[in-house]
Every structure is written in structure tokens, then in C-alpha cells.
Amino acid sequence: MQWLVVAFGGALGAMGRFAVNAALVPVFGSKFPMGTLAVNVVGSTLIGLCYVLIIERGVLPAEFRNLLMIGFLGAFTTFSAFSLDTLALWQNGQPILAVAYVILSVVLCLMGTLGAIFLTRLF
């Protein structure tokens, strides 16, 4: 049953990632991977929230860890896409954008996770 829960969460996460990318490419274009950055920042923030609610406080049942943290967020966030997007920027002669993307991704995702943990612990 745990496998099915993870698979279901993963399917929802993958569809969520696809939806975010589909919504952001028309707005921001394809020169900067805003969709990948957005899902990674949002996913990092949500995993901080889930960590406190599921692991630390037990507000949500432990079974939600498999659905949300492993399945949904595992498929929603996209480190492999991040890596490919970074290399594509670099290989397309945009090293400054590539470096900015790496820095923004790491800093914003860590801030999202830390901020969510901090704020969730307050409530």
C-alpha cells in the first residue's frame, strides 16, 4: 500500500510541476528556467512545512510523509531538471545567467525550507 501512496503522490507532483512550467513559460519565456526555479522554491518551502507538521508535531498522520514528502514533493521538485537547465544556460553562452540560477536556486530553496520550518513552529 505504501508503494501506491508514493506513486499516487508522485503522479500528482509530476502533474503539478508540468502545470507550473506550462503556466510560467508563456509569461517568462524560455531563456531562464523560471518554472524549475519556482517548483524548487515552492517545493522546498512545502517540505519545511510538512517536516514540522508530520515529523516534529505529528499534526498530520505519519502516513502523509510517504504521500506528501516522498511522493508529491519528490516528483514536484526537480533537481535533475535544475542541473540540465543550468548546463543548457552555460552551453548556450549565458554563464552569468547559469551562475545566477544556481545561486538563486540554492539560496531561495534553503530560505524557503528554513522559513517554513520557523513559521510552522510558531503556530
Side-chain angles (χ1 to χ4, degrees):
M1 184 54 97
Q2 291 178 2
W3 289 87
L4 292 175
V5 169
V6 171
F8 179 68
L12 293 176
M15 291 187 303
R17 181 180 71 233
F18 180 79
V20 169
N21 279 311
L24 293 183
V25 167
V27 175
F28 292 98
S30 59
K31 291 188 181 197
F32 188 80
M34 187 58 76
T36 304
L37 178 61
V39 297
N40 286 336
V41 172
V42 169
S44 296
T45 304
L46 289 175
I47 207 161
L49 176 75
C50 288
Y51 176 78
V52 173
L53 295 178
I54 298 168
I55 306 299
E56 286 190 355
R57 294 206 181 146
V59 173
L60 297 173
E63 294 78 20
F64 276 57
R65 179 181 179 273
N66 290 338
L67 174 70
L68 297 174
M69 295 175 75
I70 297 171
F72 181 80
L73 293 172
F76 184 69
T77 58
T78 54
F79 194 78
S80 58
F82 157 78
S83 300
L84 185 61
D85 289 340
T86 302
L87 290 176
L89 287 170
W90 190 275
Q91 291 174 344
N92 288 330
Q94 298 174 316
I96 293 171
L97 270 182
V99 170
Y101 181 56
V102 169
I103 292 169
L104 282 170
S105 293
V106 172
V107 170
L108 292 174
C109 289
L110 288 172
M111 286 174 52
T113 304
L114 179 64
I117 288 173
F118 176 76
L119 291 173
T120 307
R121 284 178 178 162
L122 289 177
F123 298 103

